[in-house]
PDB file of all heavy atoms in Angstrom:
ATOM      1  N   SER A   1     -98.284-159.520-108.606  1.00 76.00           N
ATOM      2  CA  SER A   1     -96.875-159.965-108.551  1.00 76.00           C
ATOM      3  C   SER A   1     -96.754-161.446-108.172  1.00 76.00           C
ATOM      4  O   SER A   1     -95.660-162.046-108.215  1.00 76.00           O
ATOM      5  CB  SER A   1     -96.022-159.154-107.552  1.00 76.00           C
ATOM      6  OG  SER A   1     -96.607-159.249-106.240  1.00 76.00           O
ATOM      7  N   LYS A   2     -97.913-162.091-107.768  1.00 77.00           N
ATOM      8  CA  LYS A   2     -97.870-163.450-107.322  1.00 77.00           C
ATOM      9  C   LYS A   2     -98.980-164.279-107.899  1.00 77.00           C
ATOM     10  O   LYS A   2    -100.026-163.730-108.275  1.00 77.00           O
ATOM     11  CB  LYS A   2     -97.952-163.550-105.803  1.00 77.00           C
ATOM     12  CG  LYS A   2     -96.785-162.914-105.129  1.00 77.00           C
ATOM     13  CD  LYS A   2     -96.941-163.027-103.575  1.00 77.00           C
ATOM     14  CE  LYS A   2     -95.740-162.403-102.926  1.00 77.00           C
ATOM     15  NZ  LYS A   2     -95.851-162.417-101.427  1.00 77.00           N
ATOM     16  N   GLY A   3     -98.811-165.577-107.900  1.00 80.00           N
ATOM     17  CA  GLY A   3     -99.918-166.465-108.342  1.00 80.00           C
ATOM     18  C   GLY A   3    -100.186-166.419-109.817  1.00 80.00           C
ATOM     19  O   GLY A   3     -99.380-166.003-110.622  1.00 80.00           O
ATOM     20  N   GLU A   4    -101.313-167.005-110.166  1.00 84.00           N
ATOM     21  CA  GLU A   4    -101.631-167.151-111.558  1.00 84.00           C
ATOM     22  C   GLU A   4    -101.805-165.879-112.344  1.00 84.00           C
ATOM     23  O   GLU A   4    -101.728-165.832-113.586  1.00 84.00           O
ATOM     24  CB  GLU A   4    -102.900-168.044-111.725  1.00 84.00           C
ATOM     25  CG  GLU A   4    -104.151-167.365-111.190  1.00 84.00           C
ATOM     26  CD  GLU A   4    -105.386-168.285-111.316  1.00 84.00           C
ATOM     27  OE1 GLU A   4    -105.897-168.400-112.448  1.00 84.00           O
ATOM     28  OE2 GLU A   4    -105.835-168.859-110.321  1.00 84.00           O
ATOM     29  N   TRP A   5    -102.078-164.703-111.631  1.00 82.00           N
ATOM     30  CA  TRP A   5    -102.223-163.483-112.318  1.00 82.00           C
ATOM     31  C   TRP A   5    -100.910-162.594-112.370  1.00 82.00           C
ATOM     32  O   TRP A   5    -100.960-161.507-112.768  1.00 82.00           O
ATOM     33  CB  TRP A   5    -103.313-162.680-111.668  1.00 82.00           C
ATOM     34  CG  TRP A   5    -104.675-163.351-111.829  1.00 82.00           C
ATOM     35  CD1 TRP A   5    -105.349-163.632-112.927  1.00 82.00           C
ATOM     36  CD2 TRP A   5    -105.426-163.843-110.723  1.00 82.00           C
ATOM     37  NE1 TRP A   5    -106.492-164.271-112.644  1.00 82.00           N
ATOM     38  CE2 TRP A   5    -106.588-164.439-111.300  1.00 82.00           C
ATOM     39  CE3 TRP A   5    -105.275-163.856-109.360  1.00 82.00           C
ATOM     40  CZ2 TRP A   5    -107.560-165.037-110.482  1.00 82.00           C
ATOM     41  CZ3 TRP A   5    -106.226-164.475-108.571  1.00 82.00           C
ATOM     42  CH2 TRP A   5    -107.379-165.059-109.155  1.00 82.00           C
ATOM     43  N   ALA A   6     -99.855-163.187-111.893  1.00 81.00           N
ATOM     44  CA  ALA A   6     -98.575-162.425-111.866  1.00 81.00           C
ATOM     45  C   ALA A   6     -98.293-161.837-113.203  1.00 81.00           C
ATOM     46  O   ALA A   6     -98.401-162.477-114.232  1.00 81.00           O
ATOM     47  CB  ALA A   6     -97.446-163.340-111.441  1.00 81.00           C
ATOM     48  N   GLY A   7     -97.997-160.520-113.164  1.00 83.00           N
ATOM     49  CA  GLY A   7     -97.658-159.786-114.405  1.00 83.00           C
ATOM     50  C   GLY A   7     -98.802-159.115-115.053  1.00 83.00           C
ATOM     51  O   GLY A   7     -98.658-158.243-115.903  1.00 83.00           O
ATOM     52  N   GLN A   8    -100.027-159.558-114.743  1.00 87.00           N
ATOM     53  CA  GLN A   8    -101.222-158.911-115.326  1.00 87.00           C
ATOM     54  C   GLN A   8    -101.661-157.697-114.595  1.00 87.00           C
ATOM     55  O   GLN A   8    -101.507-157.604-113.384  1.00 87.00           O
ATOM     56  CB  GLN A   8    -102.390-159.975-115.293  1.00 87.00           C
ATOM     57  CG  GLN A   8    -102.131-161.170-116.168  1.00 87.00           C
ATOM     58  CD  GLN A   8    -103.312-162.120-116.148  1.00 87.00           C
ATOM     59  OE1 GLN A   8    -104.429-161.742-115.927  1.00 87.00           O
ATOM     60  NE2 GLN A   8    -103.008-163.420-116.323  1.00 87.00           N
ATOM     61  N   LEU A   9    -102.244-156.794-115.335  1.00 91.00           N
ATOM     62  CA  LEU A   9    -102.734-155.554-114.714  1.00 91.00           C
ATOM     63  C   LEU A   9    -103.860-155.916-113.735  1.00 91.00           C
ATOM     64  O   LEU A   9    -104.626-156.854-113.967  1.00 91.00           O
ATOM     65  CB  LEU A   9    -103.308-154.596-115.720  1.00 91.00           C
ATOM     66  CG  LEU A   9    -102.254-153.870-116.573  1.00 91.00           C
ATOM     67  CD1 LEU A   9    -102.919-153.134-117.711  1.00 91.00           C
ATOM     68  CD2 LEU A   9    -101.473-152.878-115.737  1.00 91.00           C
ATOM     69  N   ILE A  10    -103.907-155.199-112.642  1.00 92.00           N
ATOM     70  CA  ILE A  10    -104.953-155.419-111.616  1.00 92.00           C
ATOM     71  C   ILE A  10    -106.280-154.987-112.175  1.00 92.00           C
ATOM     72  O   ILE A  10    -106.449-153.893-112.815  1.00 92.00           O
ATOM     73  CB  ILE A  10    -104.598-154.618-110.333  1.00 92.00           C
ATOM     74  CG1 ILE A  10    -103.367-155.221-109.714  1.00 92.00           C
ATOM     75  CG2 ILE A  10    -105.776-154.593-109.369  1.00 92.00           C
ATOM     76  CD1 ILE A  10    -102.801-154.421-108.558  1.00 92.00           C
ATOM     77  N   ARG A  11    -107.286-155.767-111.935  1.00 93.00           N
ATOM     78  CA  ARG A  11    -108.719-155.378-112.282  1.00 93.00           C
ATOM     79  C   ARG A  11    -109.430-155.403-110.955  1.00 93.00           C
ATOM     80  O   ARG A  11    -109.562-156.408-110.324  1.00 93.00           O
ATOM     81  CB  ARG A  11    -109.344-156.413-113.239  1.00 93.00           C
ATOM     82  CG  ARG A  11    -108.761-156.382-114.588  1.00 93.00           C
ATOM     83  CD  ARG A  11    -109.227-155.078-115.319  1.00 93.00           C
ATOM     84  NE  ARG A  11    -108.415-154.879-116.530  1.00 93.00           N
ATOM     85  CZ  ARG A  11    -107.638-153.837-116.739  1.00 93.00           C
ATOM     86  NH1 ARG A  11    -107.508-152.909-115.768  1.00 93.00           N
ATOM     87  NH2 ARG A  11    -106.952-153.714-117.829  1.00 93.00           N
ATOM     88  N   LEU A  12    -109.856-154.217-110.526  1.00 93.00           N
ATOM     89  CA  LEU A  12    -110.547-154.073-109.255  1.00 93.00           C
ATOM     90  C   LEU A  12    -111.953-154.685-109.279  1.00 93.00           C
ATOM     91  O   LEU A  12    -112.623-154.573-110.290  1.00 93.00           O
ATOM     92  CB  LEU A  12    -110.668-152.556-108.912  1.00 93.00           C
ATOM     93  CG  LEU A  12    -109.354-151.798-108.707  1.00 93.00           C
ATOM     94  CD1 LEU A  12    -109.596-150.332-108.671  1.00 93.00           C
ATOM     95  CD2 LEU A  12    -108.642-152.228-107.470  1.00 93.00           C
ATOM     96  N   GLU A  13    -112.276-155.313-108.154  1.00 91.00           N
ATOM     97  CA  GLU A  13    -113.664-155.779-107.983  1.00 91.00           C
ATOM     98  C   GLU A  13    -114.515-154.554-107.699  1.00 91.00           C
ATOM     99  O   GLU A  13    -114.082-153.493-107.296  1.00 91.00           O
ATOM    100  CB  GLU A  13    -113.744-156.756-106.797  1.00 91.00           C
ATOM    101  CG  GLU A  13    -112.885-157.984-106.994  1.00 91.00           C
ATOM    102  CD  GLU A  13    -113.508-158.909-108.041  1.00 91.00           C
ATOM    103  OE1 GLU A  13    -114.731-158.898-108.261  1.00 91.00           O
ATOM    104  OE2 GLU A  13    -112.666-159.684-108.648  1.00 91.00           O
ATOM    105  N   GLU A  14    -115.802-154.729-107.884  1.00 92.00           N
ATOM    106  CA  GLU A  14    -116.763-153.630-107.688  1.00 92.00           C
ATOM    107  C   GLU A  14    -116.690-153.062-106.290  1.00 92.00           C
ATOM    108  O   GLU A  14    -116.681-151.809-106.129  1.00 92.00           O
ATOM    109  CB  GLU A  14    -118.166-154.066-108.030  1.00 92.00           C
ATOM    110  CG  GLU A  14    -119.205-152.921-107.959  1.00 92.00           C
ATOM    111  CD  GLU A  14    -118.925-151.815-108.973  1.00 92.00           C
ATOM    112  OE1 GLU A  14    -118.322-152.074-110.074  1.00 92.00           O
ATOM    113  OE2 GLU A  14    -119.345-150.683-108.669  1.00 92.00           O
ATOM    114  N   ILE A  15    -116.536-153.890-105.293  1.00 90.00           N
ATOM    115  CA  ILE A  15    -116.425-153.399-103.895  1.00 90.00           C
ATOM    116  C   ILE A  15    -115.159-152.545-103.700  1.00 90.00           C
ATOM    117  O   ILE A  15    -115.209-151.502-103.040  1.00 90.00           O
ATOM    118  CB  ILE A  15    -116.503-154.518-102.881  1.00 90.00           C
ATOM    119  CG1 ILE A  15    -116.536-153.977-101.481  1.00 90.00           C
ATOM    120  CG2 ILE A  15    -115.313-155.426-103.014  1.00 90.00           C
ATOM    121  CD1 ILE A  15    -117.789-153.193-101.127  1.00 90.00           C
ATOM    122  N   GLN A  16    -114.066-152.943-104.311  1.00 91.00           N
ATOM    123  CA  GLN A  16    -112.850-152.146-104.205  1.00 91.00           C
ATOM    124  C   GLN A  16    -112.983-150.818-104.892  1.00 91.00           C
ATOM    125  O   GLN A  16    -112.604-149.765-104.332  1.00 91.00           O
ATOM    126  CB  GLN A  16    -111.713-152.942-104.850  1.00 91.00           C
ATOM    127  CG  GLN A  16    -111.315-154.206-104.149  1.00 91.00           C
ATOM    128  CD  GLN A  16    -110.416-155.070-104.958  1.00 91.00           C
ATOM    129  OE1 GLN A  16    -110.632-155.298-106.170  1.00 91.00           O
ATOM    130  NE2 GLN A  16    -109.362-155.567-104.338  1.00 91.00           N
ATOM    131  N   ARG A  17    -113.641-150.819-106.092  1.00 93.00           N
ATOM    132  CA  ARG A  17    -113.843-149.584-106.859  1.00 93.00           C
ATOM    133  C   ARG A  17    -114.739-148.666-105.992  1.00 93.00           C
ATOM    134  O   ARG A  17    -114.479-147.424-105.943  1.00 93.00           O
ATOM    135  CB  ARG A  17    -114.478-149.930-108.157  1.00 93.00           C
ATOM    136  CG  ARG A  17    -114.725-148.733-109.053  1.00 93.00           C
ATOM    137  CD  ARG A  17    -115.254-149.150-110.404  1.00 93.00           C
ATOM    138  NE  ARG A  17    -114.308-149.954-111.134  1.00 93.00           N
ATOM    139  CZ  ARG A  17    -113.261-149.440-111.759  1.00 93.00           C
ATOM    140  NH1 ARG A  17    -113.021-148.154-111.755  1.00 93.00           N
ATOM    141  NH2 ARG A  17    -112.430-150.219-112.437  1.00 93.00           N
ATOM    142  N   ARG A  18    -115.805-149.142-105.371  1.00 93.00           N
ATOM    143  CA  ARG A  18    -116.701-148.300-104.574  1.00 93.00           C
ATOM    144  C   ARG A  18    -115.972-147.767-103.373  1.00 93.00           C
ATOM    145  O   ARG A  18    -116.192-146.591-103.002  1.00 93.00           O
ATOM    146  CB  ARG A  18    -117.927-149.121-104.181  1.00 93.00           C
ATOM    147  CG  ARG A  18    -118.879-149.349-105.321  1.00 93.00           C
ATOM    148  CD  ARG A  18    -120.080-150.247-104.856  1.00 93.00           C
ATOM    149  NE  ARG A  18    -120.916-150.530-105.991  1.00 93.00           N
ATOM    150  CZ  ARG A  18    -122.056-149.980-106.158  1.00 93.00           C
ATOM    151  NH1 ARG A  18    -122.528-149.065-105.357  1.00 93.00           N
ATOM    152  NH2 ARG A  18    -122.796-150.311-107.242  1.00 93.00           N
ATOM    153  N   ILE A  19    -115.159-148.548-102.762  1.00 93.00           N
ATOM    154  CA  ILE A  19    -114.434-148.018-101.601  1.00 93.00           C
ATOM    155  C   ILE A  19    -113.495-146.850-102.059  1.00 93.00           C
ATOM    156  O   ILE A  19    -113.512-145.805-101.415  1.00 93.00           O
ATOM    157  CB  ILE A  19    -113.517-149.133-100.933  1.00 93.00           C
ATOM    158  CG1 ILE A  19    -114.491-150.159-100.226  1.00 93.00           C
ATOM    159  CG2 ILE A  19    -112.489-148.548 -99.989  1.00 93.00           C
ATOM    160  CD1 ILE A  19    -113.800-151.417 -99.759  1.00 93.00           C
ATOM    161  N   LEU A  20    -112.727-147.076-103.156  1.00 94.00           N
ATOM    162  CA  LEU A  20    -111.869-146.005-103.633  1.00 94.00           C
ATOM    163  C   LEU A  20    -112.692-144.765-104.068  1.00 94.00           C
ATOM    164  O   LEU A  20    -112.235-143.638-103.741  1.00 94.00           O
ATOM    165  CB  LEU A  20    -111.046-146.467-104.765  1.00 94.00           C
ATOM    166  CG  LEU A  20    -110.045-147.592-104.472  1.00 94.00           C
ATOM    167  CD1 LEU A  20    -109.352-148.159-105.695  1.00 94.00           C
ATOM    168  CD2 LEU A  20    -108.981-147.063-103.509  1.00 94.00           C
ATOM    169  N   MET A  21    -113.793-144.964-104.655  1.00 94.00           N
ATOM    170  CA  MET A  21    -114.636-143.831-105.096  1.00 94.00           C
ATOM    171  C   MET A  21    -115.080-143.054-103.912  1.00 94.00           C
ATOM    172  O   MET A  21    -115.103-141.776-103.910  1.00 94.00           O
ATOM    173  CB  MET A  21    -115.872-144.327-105.897  1.00 94.00           C
ATOM    174  CG  MET A  21    -115.517-144.894-107.260  1.00 94.00           C
ATOM    175  SD  MET A  21    -114.875-143.773-108.415  1.00 94.00           S
ATOM    176  CE  MET A  21    -116.350-142.852-108.809  1.00 94.00           C
ATOM    177  N   THR A  22    -115.514-143.739-102.829  1.00 94.00           N
ATOM    178  CA  THR A  22    -116.015-143.054-101.611  1.00 94.00           C
ATOM    179  C   THR A  22    -114.863-142.320-100.983  1.00 94.00           C
ATOM    180  O   THR A  22    -115.006-141.106-100.599  1.00 94.00           O
ATOM    181  CB  THR A  22    -116.608-144.039-100.690  1.00 94.00           C
ATOM    182  OG1 THR A  22    -117.692-144.711-101.295  1.00 94.00           O
ATOM    183  CG2 THR A  22    -117.106-143.380 -99.378  1.00 94.00           C
ATOM    184  N   VAL A  23    -113.727-142.966-100.742  1.00 95.00           N
ATOM    185  CA  VAL A  23    -112.651-142.347 -99.970  1.00 95.00           C
ATOM    186  C   VAL A  23    -112.025-141.192-100.746  1.00 95.00           C
ATOM    187  O   VAL A  23    -111.792-140.093-100.155  1.00 95.00           O
ATOM    188  CB  VAL A  23    -111.534-143.434 -99.714  1.00 95.00           C
ATOM    189  CG1 VAL A  23    -110.290-142.751 -99.087  1.00 95.00           C
ATOM    190  CG2 VAL A  23    -112.076-144.464 -98.740  1.00 95.00           C
ATOM    191  N   PHE A  24    -111.815-141.355-102.046  1.00 95.00           N
ATOM    192  CA  PHE A  24    -111.139-140.305-102.810  1.00 95.00           C
ATOM    193  C   PHE A  24    -112.057-139.351-103.539  1.00 95.00           C
ATOM    194  O   PHE A  24    -111.656-138.322-103.987  1.00 95.00           O
ATOM    195  CB  PHE A  24    -110.162-140.935-103.838  1.00 95.00           C
ATOM    196  CG  PHE A  24    -108.941-141.559-103.204  1.00 95.00           C
ATOM    197  CD1 PHE A  24    -108.935-142.880-102.784  1.00 95.00           C
ATOM    198  CD2 PHE A  24    -107.816-140.775-102.962  1.00 95.00           C
ATOM    199  CE1 PHE A  24    -107.793-143.419-102.198  1.00 95.00           C
ATOM    200  CE2 PHE A  24    -106.650-141.321-102.381  1.00 95.00           C
ATOM    201  CZ  PHE A  24    -106.682-142.644-101.985  1.00 95.00           C
ATOM    202  N   GLY A  25    -113.346-139.684-103.635  1.00 95.00           N
ATOM    203  CA  GLY A  25    -114.240-138.851-104.427  1.00 95.00           C
ATOM    204  C   GLY A  25    -115.004-137.793-103.614  1.00 95.00           C
ATOM    205  O   GLY A  25    -115.301-136.718-104.129  1.00 95.00           O
ATOM    206  N   TRP A  26    -115.267-138.014-102.350  1.00 94.00           N
ATOM    207  CA  TRP A  26    -115.957-137.020-101.524  1.00 94.00           C
ATOM    208  C   TRP A  26    -115.042-135.894-101.142  1.00 94.00           C
ATOM    209  O   TRP A  26    -113.948-136.122-100.702  1.00 94.00           O
ATOM    210  CB  TRP A  26    -116.585-137.619-100.308  1.00 94.00           C
ATOM    211  CG  TRP A  26    -117.886-138.277-100.542  1.00 94.00           C
ATOM    212  CD1 TRP A  26    -118.167-139.597-100.707  1.00 94.00           C
ATOM    213  CD2 TRP A  26    -119.109-137.579-100.747  1.00 94.00           C
ATOM    214  NE1 TRP A  26    -119.478-139.764-101.006  1.00 94.00           N
ATOM    215  CE2 TRP A  26    -120.108-138.514-101.011  1.00 94.00           C
ATOM    216  CE3 TRP A  26    -119.486-136.238-100.752  1.00 94.00           C
ATOM    217  CZ2 TRP A  26    -121.449-138.178-101.231  1.00 94.00           C
ATOM    218  CZ3 TRP A  26    -120.818-135.880-100.948  1.00 94.00           C
ATOM    219  CH2 TRP A  26    -121.760-136.873-101.240  1.00 94.00           C
ATOM    220  N   MET A  27    -115.449-134.660-101.437  1.00 94.00           N
ATOM    221  CA  MET A  27    -114.662-133.483-101.210  1.00 94.00           C
ATOM    222  C   MET A  27    -115.311-132.499-100.190  1.00 94.00           C
ATOM    223  O   MET A  27    -116.502-132.454-100.049  1.00 94.00           O
ATOM    224  CB  MET A  27    -114.462-132.721-102.499  1.00 94.00           C
ATOM    225  CG  MET A  27    -113.818-133.489-103.603  1.00 94.00           C
ATOM    226  SD  MET A  27    -112.092-133.818-103.216  1.00 94.00           S
ATOM    227  CE  MET A  27    -111.656-135.002-104.417  1.00 94.00           C
ATOM    228  N   ARG A  28    -114.470-131.740 -99.589  1.00 92.00           N
ATOM    229  CA  ARG A  28    -114.880-130.630 -98.716  1.00 92.00           C
ATOM    230  C   ARG A  28    -115.091-129.408 -99.623  1.00 92.00           C
ATOM    231  O   ARG A  28    -114.689-129.369-100.769  1.00 92.00           O
ATOM    232  CB  ARG A  28    -113.876-130.373 -97.650  1.00 92.00           C
ATOM    233  CG  ARG A  28    -113.635-131.537 -96.692  1.00 92.00           C
ATOM    234  CD  ARG A  28    -112.501-131.218 -95.764  1.00 92.00           C
ATOM    235  NE  ARG A  28    -112.275-132.446 -94.964  1.00 92.00           N
ATOM    236  CZ  ARG A  28    -111.754-132.475 -93.755  1.00 92.00           C
ATOM    237  NH1 ARG A  28    -111.369-131.332 -93.197  1.00 92.00           N
ATOM    238  NH2 ARG A  28    -111.557-133.582 -93.127  1.00 92.00           N
ATOM    239  N   ALA A  29    -115.687-128.356 -99.032  1.00 91.00           N
ATOM    240  CA  ALA A  29    -115.929-127.138 -99.780  1.00 91.00           C
ATOM    241  C   ALA A  29    -114.656-126.600-100.413  1.00 91.00           C
ATOM    242  O   ALA A  29    -114.696-126.005-101.498  1.00 91.00           O
ATOM    243  CB  ALA A  29    -116.656-126.121 -98.924  1.00 91.00           C
ATOM    244  N   ASP A  30    -113.524-126.758 -99.720  1.00 90.00           N
ATOM    245  CA  ASP A  30    -112.297-126.205-100.224  1.00 90.00           C
ATOM    246  C   ASP A  30    -111.566-127.094-101.262  1.00 90.00           C
ATOM    247  O   ASP A  30    -110.522-126.768-101.709  1.00 90.00           O
ATOM    248  CB  ASP A  30    -111.331-125.916 -99.050  1.00 90.00           C
ATOM    249  CG  ASP A  30    -110.857-127.212 -98.335  1.00 90.00           C
ATOM    250  OD1 ASP A  30    -111.245-128.313 -98.760  1.00 90.00           O
ATOM    251  OD2 ASP A  30    -110.127-127.046 -97.404  1.00 90.00           O
ATOM    252  N   GLY A  31    -112.202-128.186-101.679  1.00 89.00           N
ATOM    253  CA  GLY A  31    -111.642-129.046-102.693  1.00 89.00           C
ATOM    254  C   GLY A  31    -110.733-130.153-102.220  1.00 89.00           C
ATOM    255  O   GLY A  31    -110.156-130.897-102.969  1.00 89.00           O
ATOM    256  N   THR A  32    -110.485-130.193-100.840  1.00 91.00           N
ATOM    257  CA  THR A  32    -109.649-131.290-100.320  1.00 91.00           C
ATOM    258  C   THR A  32    -110.568-132.453 -99.987  1.00 91.00           C
ATOM    259  O   THR A  32    -111.799-132.298 -99.884  1.00 91.00           O
ATOM    260  CB  THR A  32    -108.902-130.857 -99.087  1.00 91.00           C
ATOM    261  OG1 THR A  32    -109.842-130.421 -98.044  1.00 91.00           O
ATOM    262  CG2 THR A  32    -107.919-129.697 -99.369  1.00 91.00           C
ATOM    263  N   ARG A  33    -109.942-133.636 -99.833  1.00 92.00           N
ATOM    264  CA  ARG A  33    -110.742-134.817 -99.546  1.00 92.00           C
ATOM    265  C   ARG A  33    -111.498-134.747 -98.205  1.00 92.00           C
ATOM    266  O   ARG A  33    -110.952-134.219 -97.206  1.00 92.00           O
ATOM    267  CB  ARG A  33    -109.835-136.102 -99.486  1.00 92.00           C
ATOM    268  CG  ARG A  33    -109.425-136.529-100.889  1.00 92.00           C
ATOM    269  CD  ARG A  33    -108.802-137.872-100.854  1.00 92.00           C
ATOM    270  NE  ARG A  33    -107.383-137.831-100.393  1.00 92.00           N
ATOM    271  CZ  ARG A  33    -106.371-137.658-101.227  1.00 92.00           C
ATOM    272  NH1 ARG A  33    -106.548-137.467-102.505  1.00 92.00           N
ATOM    273  NH2 ARG A  33    -105.157-137.659-100.696  1.00 92.00           N
ATOM    274  N   ARG A  34    -112.741-135.197 -98.249  1.00 92.00           N
ATOM    275  CA  ARG A  34    -113.499-135.254 -96.997  1.00 92.00           C
ATOM    276  C   ARG A  34    -112.965-136.210 -95.998  1.00 92.00           C
ATOM    277  O   ARG A  34    -112.831-135.939 -94.855  1.00 92.00           O
ATOM    278  CB  ARG A  34    -114.955-135.625 -97.362  1.00 92.00           C
ATOM    279  CG  ARG A  34    -115.843-135.816 -96.118  1.00 92.00           C
ATOM    280  CD  ARG A  34    -117.206-136.356 -96.484  1.00 92.00           C
ATOM    281  NE  ARG A  34    -117.981-136.468 -95.253  1.00 92.00           N
ATOM    282  CZ  ARG A  34    -119.230-136.932 -95.257  1.00 92.00           C
ATOM    283  NH1 ARG A  34    -119.755-137.452 -96.325  1.00 92.00           N
ATOM    284  NH2 ARG A  34    -119.899-137.007 -94.123  1.00 92.00           N
ATOM    285  N   PHE A  35    -112.658-137.402 -96.476  1.00 90.00           N
ATOM    286  CA  PHE A  35    -112.175-138.481 -95.575  1.00 90.00           C
ATOM    287  C   PHE A  35    -110.693-138.504 -95.469  1.00 90.00           C
ATOM    288  O   PHE A  35    -109.976-138.593 -96.465  1.00 90.00           O
ATOM    289  CB  PHE A  35    -112.696-139.831 -96.051  1.00 90.00           C
ATOM    290  CG  PHE A  35    -114.207-139.940 -96.057  1.00 90.00           C
ATOM    291  CD1 PHE A  35    -114.907-140.007 -97.225  1.00 90.00           C
ATOM    292  CD2 PHE A  35    -114.961-139.847 -94.912  1.00 90.00           C
ATOM    293  CE1 PHE A  35    -116.267-140.057 -97.304  1.00 90.00           C
ATOM    294  CE2 PHE A  35    -116.337-139.939 -94.875  1.00 90.00           C
ATOM    295  CZ  PHE A  35    -117.031-140.036 -96.100  1.00 90.00           C
TER     296      PHE A  35
END
């Protein structure tokens, strides 16, 4: 929404993608999120 990229779709950096994968990808035995 700001700066030179305003209006462009967000492109995640690799570190951001890895953080999201870790937080949302790890599951407990019952299928809910681990973290």
Side-chain angles (χ1 to χ4, degrees):
S1 60
K2 296 180 180 178
E4 65 181 287
W5 298 295
Q8 294 181 29
L9 286 170
I10 292 171
R11 290 289 166 242
L12 297 168
E13 297 291 333
E14 185 61 27
I15 186 66
Q16 295 167 313
R17 183 176 295 284
R18 286 177 184 255
I19 290 168
L20 293 173
M21 293 292 289
T22 300
V23 172
F24 287 91
W26 276 102
M27 301 290 168
R28 297 175 185 206
D30 65 2
T32 61
R33 283 191 283 272
R34 173 186 184 185
F35 299 112

